[in-house]
Amino acid sequence: MLFPEPEDTVGRLGTEVKSEGSFSVQFFDGALNWSQKKAVQAVVSKKYGDVPFLIWGPPGTGKTKTCIECIHQIVLGQPGARILACAPSHSAADTLTRQLREFLKPGELLRLNSSTRPFNEVPDAILAYTFTETDDSGKGGKGGEFFSVPPMKALLSTRVVVCTCEDAGILAQCGITNRIIRKTREAFWRNTMSDYGVFCAEVGEEQIQGKLFWSHLFIDEAGQATEPESLIPLSVVASEPLVSKKSVDTVQIVLSGDHMQLGPIVNDSNARELGLKKSLFERLIRRPLYRDHPESRYEPRTNELEDGEIEETGVLDGLTESLVIGDVVAPFANLVRNYRSHPGFLMIPSHLYYNNTLIPAASKALTHSLIGSPLLLNPELPILFYGIEGKDERILHSNGLNESENSSPGWYNSAEALHVRDIVELLLNEGVSVRDIGVMAPFREQVKLIRVLLRANGCGAVDVGTVEDYQGMERRVIILSTVRSRVSFLEGDLQNDLGIVRKPERLNVAMTRAQALFVGVGNPCLLATDPEWVAFLAFFSRNGCYTGSPLPQNIIQESHSGAAGNYGALERARDSALLLESVPQTKWLGAGVGGDSAGFGGGGGGGGEMGVGQSEDDLALDWATAWLGGLELE
């Protein structure tokens, strides 16, 4: 469960889905794509073994949607199943409940809340799925009500219980865990055996004690939960075998998340250094069973030798470990279709964080709705980055902290804040709705300053928050202020987990919230100290989306470099498509077959329109690599 190995899985026996027609499941959600359906089929059939199943879903790929379909299939297809569905936050757990109520009634579905949760935090749509009691002292919510646990009989008949990972501890306090229920059954079996031995011999030991109460555990957004936090629901469903493994049904565990986005919030620096910043989802997906599987998103693993050389790793008892792992059914699913963003917003994140596996699938009516905006330098790509060399300042607190001690996140940048205000005004004048605009900054003090400036201009309804506030959210327009301008404070930011420089997870979240327009504001000289920011700024530069302060030389070189490694598959595919559109069809490869046309490249030796020194086969191979590098084979 916690340290899965290849021997805990199932070997390949021709059971894997190869095409759309191979699915044996009748899906309730007709909008699921192929990778989502494959994940659901794997969970429902459980042909991958007794290890946790991981659903790796990058931004906008439908992780929660996939989990909901899995639960729907299990509830209707397995009458004896009982599911515990958790998430690290109340908002995520409420989202699960809202979607599950589409096919579950009160009594079948319970949204379990702590008694301390305020009533005004709970959406009205799911109140019918909660249980409340009345406090005669009047200390509760409306009318003295407070959230509570339903009577034992009602709780035991519930098919799906939804709660936060922390509130799963309520079930442990009530004794509704697989381990306690199993011990109760064991005691019952022993007493019954002593009195009715013949009856027990006829019924069979496995039927009396073998079934688990909780059959499934789902943890959505598992990448945002600390490992101890995830262990709370795991302790509810875990069970110790009594006689033998054969008499014990194994609980099915499904974790969905994305460890390349923001992880758990851990404020203590010692706790971060000791590893509590790493979620259970991340630790599992980096284990060889998941990481080195041929279907993994990860590239082939390498180790650096003492002399600086790089060699492939994975040799185990004379066999290549990847070959051993390749013989087992993949206990994970990679979601690849992004239903949120304009393709241009995914070109660098897909390349940097997801090994060129993302596929744009959002509606063009939304993602291209601001193409041609007067705000844009490149009317075909809705991205704009303003280079500003402002000054990062900070509020001095009454405890005597000075500017050299940046353990507090009270940093702001007035020049950037004023520029953000002006951008918001321009967008509103273009007719963009206030509800469609989101402004983010990595420091809370900058958030406060931008709010003040917007309110002073009558734009107070615009949503402004930190990058963490926008995790799991999306907006038609996103405006990002990076704030930091002085390199001397970067070390303190790293120590205190602040800022958006050298913070890949925070940067990934910031760059993947926008649907139709992304606008950034920051100091290019400072950002150029981060290799991932260099990749983004170089992309903005070579696509005509950058303006303002001169770019540092390393970004200019990156922008104009012809090395294939500097371009992701989506960007190469787009460039290849534009090249193809610019070439007359009579010049396409093979256009002259059976006719008089020379074909692309001159066919029979005529003069072609290729780059110097580039053969016809090389160009075709480049196109194929560009397209196939970012496409899902279905």
Side-chain angles (χ1 to χ4, degrees):
M1 183 182 294
L2 296 178
F3 303 95
E5 300 292 345
E7 55 265 28
D8 300 319
T9 60
V10 175
R12 295 177 184 266
L13 297 173
T15 59
E16 293 185 280
V17 175
K18 301 298 181 184
S19 66
E20 187 80 20
S22 302
F23 292 117
S24 60
V25 174
Q26 297 296 318
F27 298 99
F28 299 107
D29 188 345
L32 294 177
N33 62 49
W34 189 85
S35 58
Q36 291 172 324
K37 289 179 179 178
K38 186 179 179 183
V40 173
Q41 169 105 341
V43 171
V44 173
S45 63
K46 200 189 175 186
K47 293 181 179 179
Y48 55 84
D50 294 329
V51 300
F53 189 87
L54 307 183
I55 300 176
W56 184 358
T61 54
K63 296 183 293 293
T64 302
K65 183 187 185 76
T66 306
C67 287
I68 295 299
E69 177 70 19
C70 290
I71 295 173
H72 197 171
Q73 293 285 344
I74 293 166
V75 168
L76 296 185
Q78 303 176 28
R82 290 187 182 87
I83 302 170
L84 176 60
C86 297
S89 66
H90 278 298
S91 60
D94 290 341
T95 298
L96 285 172
T97 307
R98 277 196 298 267
Q99 297 189 35
L100 289 171
R101 69 187 178 92
E102 298 297 327
F103 58 90
L104 291 172
K105 302 175 182 178
E108 298 175 325
L109 171 65
L110 170 67
R111 172 64 172 98
L112 182 64
N113 289 291
S114 168
S115 60
T116 59
R117 189 183 186 192
F119 269 70
N120 58 7
E121 286 186 2
V122 182
D124 293 337
I126 67 173
L127 280 174
Y129 294 86
T130 65
F131 184 82
T132 61
E133 291 188 77
T134 302
D135 185 357
D136 295 333
S137 66
K139 296 181 180 179
K142 298 178 181 179
E145 284 187 310
F146 61 93
F147 293 110
S148 185
V149 181
M152 188 64 68
K153 183 177 181 180
L155 184 58
L156 292 176
S157 64
T158 302
R159 298 294 307 279
V160 181
V161 174
V162 181
C163 61
T164 63
C165 294
E166 182 179 353
D167 286 346
I170 298 173
L171 296 170
Q173 293 172 355
C174 295
I176 311 299
T177 70
N178 278 339
R179 183 178 182 183
I180 292 176
I181 292 175
R182 168 157 285 162
K183 287 185 175 180
T184 303
R185 283 176 175 165
E186 180 189 17
F188 169 80
W189 179 78
R190 286 174 178 168
N191 292 335
T192 306
M193 186 68 178
S194 62
D195 295 334
Y196 305 99
V198 176
F199 166 76
C200 288
E202 292 178 354
V203 173
E205 178 183 328
E206 291 186 8
Q207 290 179 275
I208 294 177
Q209 69 175 36
K211 284 288 184 181
L212 294 172
F213 179 78
W214 299 107
S215 60
H216 297 77
L217 168 64
F218 284 80
I219 302 182
D220 194 21
E221 301 294 352
Q224 298 179 40
T226 64
E227 184 154 358
E229 196 175 4
S230 296
L231 291 179
I232 299 174
L234 282 170
S235 68
V236 172
V237 303
S239 177
E240 295 180 354
L242 299 176
V243 181
S244 67
K245 286 189 175 182
K246 292 183 179 179
S247 66
V248 179
D249 285 348
T250 304
V251 66
Q252 190 170 2
I253 299 171
V254 180
L255 307 181
S256 69
D258 180 15
H259 58 293
M260 301 307 296
Q261 297 186 66
L262 284 167
I265 298 176
V266 179
N267 294 320
D268 185 82
S269 58
N270 292 327
R272 289 196 298 269
E273 292 174 3
L274 292 173
L276 285 180
K277 183 72 174 174
K278 181 181 292 186
S279 66
L280 173 64
F281 182 92
E282 179 177 0
R283 185 175 64 76
L284 288 178
I285 207 164
R286 293 188 186 278
R287 287 185 63 79
L289 173 61
Y290 302 93
R291 179 196 61 202
D292 298 337
H293 194 282
E295 297 179 28
S296 171
R297 267 197 176 96
Y298 286 108
E299 294 181 353
R301 187 160 44 100
T302 60
N303 276 352
E304 187 168 356
L305 303 178
E306 291 184 2
D307 59 1
E309 295 181 354
I310 301 295
E311 76 168 5
E312 295 292 333
T313 64
V315 176
L316 180 66
D317 296 334
L319 295 175
T320 303
E321 185 178 345
S322 61
L323 292 178
V324 175
I325 295 174
D327 288 336
V328 304
V329 177
F332 59 87
N334 296 319
L335 304 186
V336 297
R337 293 191 176 275
N338 177 284
Y339 293 97
R340 171 184 297 160
S341 302
H342 184 281
F345 305 162
L346 303 177
M347 290 179 178
I348 296 300
S350 178
H351 180 53
L352 289 181
Y353 308 120
Y354 304 108
N355 199 18
N356 289 309
T357 57
L358 295 188
I359 302 173
S363 168
K364 281 191 174 182
L366 172 62
T367 62
H368 290 60
S369 60
L370 291 173
I371 291 291
S373 167
L375 187 69
L376 300 176
L377 296 176
N378 180 349
E380 298 299 323
L381 187 58
I383 296 175
L384 183 62
F385 195 94
Y386 290 94
I388 297 179
E389 296 182 5
K391 181 181 180 181
D392 42 4
E393 304 169 281
R394 107 181 223 193
I395 299 294
L396 298 180
H397 300 282
S398 58
N399 59 7
L401 289 176
N402 56 53
E403 277 199 333
S404 64
E405 303 172 279
N406 69 340
S407 60
S408 168
W411 292 94
Y412 65 95
N413 189 313
S414 301
E416 290 189 16
L418 290 169
H419 209 79
V420 168
R421 179 201 62 187
D422 295 341
I423 295 169
V424 170
E425 289 183 356
L426 287 172
L427 290 170
L428 294 176
N429 291 335
E430 284 186 31
V432 179
S433 170
V434 168
R435 297 187 302 272
D436 290 339
I437 301 175
V439 179
M440 65 171 69
F443 294 96
R444 184 67 64 181
E445 208 62 44
Q446 182 77 345
V447 169
K448 294 178 182 178
L449 176 58
I450 294 173
R451 284 175 179 167
V452 169
L453 293 174
L454 291 178
R455 287 170 187 159
N457 279 46
C459 308
V462 173
D463 188 27
V464 186
T466 63
V467 180
E468 280 77 2
D469 295 334
Y470 276 90
Q471 172 92 319
M473 299 175 63
E474 59 191 23
R475 288 290 187 276
R476 187 180 173 212
V477 177
I478 284 292
I479 305 170
L480 171 67
S481 169
T482 62
V483 181
R484 182 62 71 208
S485 270
R486 285 179 281 182
V487 177
S488 58
F489 293 110
L490 286 180
E491 189 62 34
D493 288 348
L494 293 173
Q495 292 175 0
N496 295 287
D497 196 24
L498 302 174
I500 200 168
V501 180
R502 301 177 194 169
K503 295 291 180 181
E505 294 86 2
R506 192 170 287 136
L507 178 58
N508 185 23
V509 170
M511 293 296 186
T512 54
R513 301 305 98 189
Q515 296 172 309
L517 175 64
F518 172 82
V519 182
V521 181
N523 187 328
C525 295
L526 183 283
L527 298 176
T529 62
D530 181 349
E532 295 186 0
W533 263 112
V534 169
F536 277 103
L537 290 173
F539 172 80
F540 300 156
S541 175
R542 67 174 169 263
N543 285 280
C545 302
Y546 179 87
T547 186
S549 302
L551 288 169
Q553 192 62 32
N554 63 330
I555 295 178
I556 295 175
Q557 292 174 350
E558 178 82 6
S559 175
H560 294 92
S561 173
N566 297 330
Y567 293 81
L570 287 176
E571 188 177 5
R572 298 199 309 271
R574 181 208 59 187
D575 292 347
S576 297
L578 293 175
L579 175 62
L580 188 61
E581 289 178 359
S582 68
V583 176
Q585 291 190 19
T586 56
K587 295 293 186 179
W588 286 10
L589 182 65
V593 176
D596 296 331
S597 175
F600 195 95
E609 298 184 11
M610 307 176 204
V612 176
Q614 187 176 30
S615 70
E616 188 173 277
D617 290 339
D618 288 339
L619 185 58
L621 181 61
D622 286 347
W623 286 355
T625 303
W627 282 107
L628 295 179
L631 293 181
E632 175 187 29
L633 300 178
E634 298 186 0

